[in-house]
C-alpha cells in the first residue's frame, strides 16, 4: 500500500483498526475519511483526532456512537456537538454517565435497548428461583420418571448426568 497509495480505499483504511493503518493515515492526513474514522475505536484514532480534526470535519454522529475512551473525552470537551440519539445507544460507561448528567437529552427508546442500563442481582435471582429449582429437580428425578426412562433407555448414568 505504501508503494501504491493511489490504489488505497481511504474510507476502508480509515475504518481499519490495525496499527499499520494508523501509520499510513498519519503519513497521509489529507486522505483521512473522518466519517469512517469516527467509528474506529482504536487508541491511535484519538491521537489523529487531537492532531488533525476540527469541528467542521468531525463526524459527531459517529463519534457519539463510538464507545472508546478517547471519543468520550472529545465529546465531553465539545458537548454542543453531541448527537444525543446516538449517545443514547452507546454501550460505554462514560456515555451512561454523560446521559445521567443530561437527562433532558436522552432518547428513551434508544436507551431502553442499551444493555449497559441493566444490572442483574444474580444472588437475588438465585434466591427467588430456589423454590422453582427444587420443584423442577423433584419432578425430574421422581422415581416414576426414572423408571419410565429405564424402560425406554438403558443408560441411567447419562440420564442423571
Amino acid at each position: 500500500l505504501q508503494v501504491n497509495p493511489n490504489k488505497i480505499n481511504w474510507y476502508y483504511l480509515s475504518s481499519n483498526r490495525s496499527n499499520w493503518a494508523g501509520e499510513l493515515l498519519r503519513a497521509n492526513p489529507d486522505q483521512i475519511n473522518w466519517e469512517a474514522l469516527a467509528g474506529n475505536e482504536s487508541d491511535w484514532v484519538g491521537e489523529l483526532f487531537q492532531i488533525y480534526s476540527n469541528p467542521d470535519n468531525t463526524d459527531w454522529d459517529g463519534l457519539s456512537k463510538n464507545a472508546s475512551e478517547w471519543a468520550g473525552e472529545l465529546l465531553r470537551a465539545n458537548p454542543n456537538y453531541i448527537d444525543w440519539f446516538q449517545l443514547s445507544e452507546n454501550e460505554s460507561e462514560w456515555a451512561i454517565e454523560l446521559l445521567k448528567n443530561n437527562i433532558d437529552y436522552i432518547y428513551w427508546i434508544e436507551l431502553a435497548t442499551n444493555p449497559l442500563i441493566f444490572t442483574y442481582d444474580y444472588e437475588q435471582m438465585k434466591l427467588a428461583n430456589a423454590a422453582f429449582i427444587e420443584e423442577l429437580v423433584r419432578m425430574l428425578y421422581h422415581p416414576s420418571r426414572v423408571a419410565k426412562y429405564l424402560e425406554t433407555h438403558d443408560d441411567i448414568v447419562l440420564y442423571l448426568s
Side-chain angles (χ1 to χ4, degrees):
L1 290 175
Q2 291 173 335
V3 176
N4 298 302
N6 58 326
K7 300 206 185 262
I8 294 174
N9 181 317
W10 294 99
Y11 178 89
Y12 291 115
L13 187 69
S14 296
S15 63
N16 190 314
R17 297 180 56 119
S18 302
N19 287 332
W20 61 264
E23 292 170 19
L24 268 173
L25 292 170
R26 277 188 203 89
N28 299 279
D30 56 318
Q31 297 295 327
I32 293 172
N33 183 297
W34 294 100
E35 180 184 348
L37 197 67
N40 190 329
E41 296 185 2
S42 299
D43 290 336
W44 56 263
V45 174
E47 298 168 21
L48 291 179
F49 269 97
Q50 287 178 337
I51 297 169
Y52 299 112
S53 77
N54 64 59
D56 295 332
N57 70 3
T58 299
D59 175 20
W60 296 101
D61 296 350
L63 273 180
S64 297
K65 283 192 282 190
N66 191 320
S68 65
E69 196 58 43
W70 62 263
E73 291 171 14
L74 192 57
L75 290 168
R76 285 189 291 266
N78 298 280
N80 293 340
Y81 293 104
I82 294 173
D83 180 327
W84 295 98
F85 180 91
Q86 301 296 345
L87 192 72
S88 296
E89 294 179 330
N90 189 317
E91 297 179 17
S92 66
E93 295 289 338
W94 64 262
I96 298 300
E97 283 305 310
L98 201 51
L99 291 167
K100 283 180 186 177
N101 296 328
N102 295 278
I103 292 177
D104 293 340
Y105 295 111
I106 294 174
Y107 282 79
W108 293 99
I109 292 174
E110 281 62 41
L111 184 64
T113 65
N114 190 328
L116 238 69
I117 67 168
F118 301 101
T119 57
Y120 300 101
D121 184 346
Y122 291 105
E123 198 55 43
Q124 177 57 35
M125 291 167 69
K126 188 176 177 181
L127 290 172
N129 289 305
F132 168 73
I133 292 169
E134 186 178 325
E135 181 182 350
L136 180 63
V137 168
R138 254 197 325 263
M139 288 180 66
L140 183 64
Y141 295 117
H142 189 275
S144 65
R145 288 183 60 88
V146 173
K148 186 174 183 177
Y149 180 85
L150 289 173
E151 289 172 9
T152 57
H153 299 82
D154 60 353
D155 193 352
I156 192 68
V157 175
L158 283 176
Y159 176 71
L160 294 175
S161 59

